[in-house]
Amino acid sequence: MKKTKKEDSQYKWVLTVFVTAVVLSAVLSLVSESILDSTDIAVAVLTLTLFIGLGIVFDVIGVAATAADPKPFHSMAAHRERGAKEALFLLRNASRVSSVCNDVVGDICGIVSGATGAVIVVQLQQVLHLQSVLVSVVVTALISGLTIGGKALSKTFAMRQSTRVVYWTGCFLHLFHR
């Protein structure tokens, strides 16, 4: 039985997502490890905040790409406004943009946040001179609460401001298309 072009495209997409996830995960883990290697707790918390924020920002982009109306971007593209072509590309590929932003980047940020949280737990246990599982539970609960709460709060924003989010994302991407 012969494969269709759609099946080939699907396999290529899965392979692309897999490779992207592996590379991005390696890069973010390497960055995290190099920042956290022999650093103090304040830098570790700042790094954790950065990864949680990055996950939330990409979640906003992924949701906005699926919710935005393309009509204003067609008009902007006709007037050659910067970022309009890139915004239309995002909207035409909304399911893939959502998959990469929400699943790939979001999941990787969650995993790296967990690893960063483990570093923070060890540092807190050393500073507080205690080996309680309570420290781990509290840090894990805070990371989960901030991540899930931040994404829940940002979804409403992404839906209501989808045109603006897609426009600004398109403008950012336009910087790389010059």
Side-chain angles (χ1 to χ4, degrees):
M1 194 148 98
K2 198 171 186 179
K3 290 183 191 175
T4 65
K5 284 187 178 184
K6 190 173 183 177
E7 286 175 325
D8 283 344
S9 176
Q10 184 66 23
Y11 291 129
K12 287 179 185 175
W13 171 243
V14 170
L15 182 62
T16 300
V17 168
F18 173 77
V19 170
T20 302
V22 169
V23 170
L24 192 57
S25 182
V27 168
L28 289 177
S29 292
L30 185 64
V31 167
S32 175
E33 288 294 323
S34 60
I35 290 172
L36 296 174
D37 188 36
S38 68
T39 188
D40 65 354
I41 198 161
V43 174
V45 169
L46 185 63
T47 303
L48 174 64
T49 305
L50 176 75
F51 284 120
I52 291 172
L54 190 64
I56 292 170
V57 166
F58 273 86
D59 196 63
V60 167
I61 295 168
V63 170
T66 61
D69 181 8
K71 289 177 189 171
F73 298 107
H74 287 292
S75 175
M76 294 164 117
H79 292 96
R80 299 181 187 258
E81 289 190 38
R82 67 180 170 89
K85 285 188 344 186
E86 291 81 4
L88 282 170
F89 174 82
L90 293 171
L91 296 178
R92 283 188 200 110
N93 296 286
S95 66
R96 290 184 175 188
V97 169
S98 177
S99 179
V100 169
C101 290
N102 298 76
D103 300 332
V104 176
V105 177
D107 291 352
I108 290 169
C109 285
I111 291 165
V112 175
S113 293
T116 305
V119 170
I120 291 171
V121 166
V122 169
Q123 290 177 344
L124 280 172
Q125 288 177 335
Q126 289 173 350
V127 168
L128 299 174
H129 303 293
L130 92 121
Q131 296 297 317
S132 172
V133 72
L134 187 61
V135 175
S136 177
V137 170
V138 169
V139 169
T140 302
L142 284 172
I143 292 170
S144 297
L146 290 170
T147 302
I148 294 166
K151 286 184 176 188
L153 185 63
S154 71
K155 280 192 189 347
T156 303
F157 171 79
M159 301 276 294
R160 289 185 181 158
Q161 301 293 325
S162 58
T163 302
R164 183 177 290 168
V165 170
V166 171
Y167 173 71
W168 285 109
T169 304
C171 287
F172 178 77
L173 293 174
H174 180 74
L175 295 173
F176 301 100
H177 286 134
R178 290 183 166 193

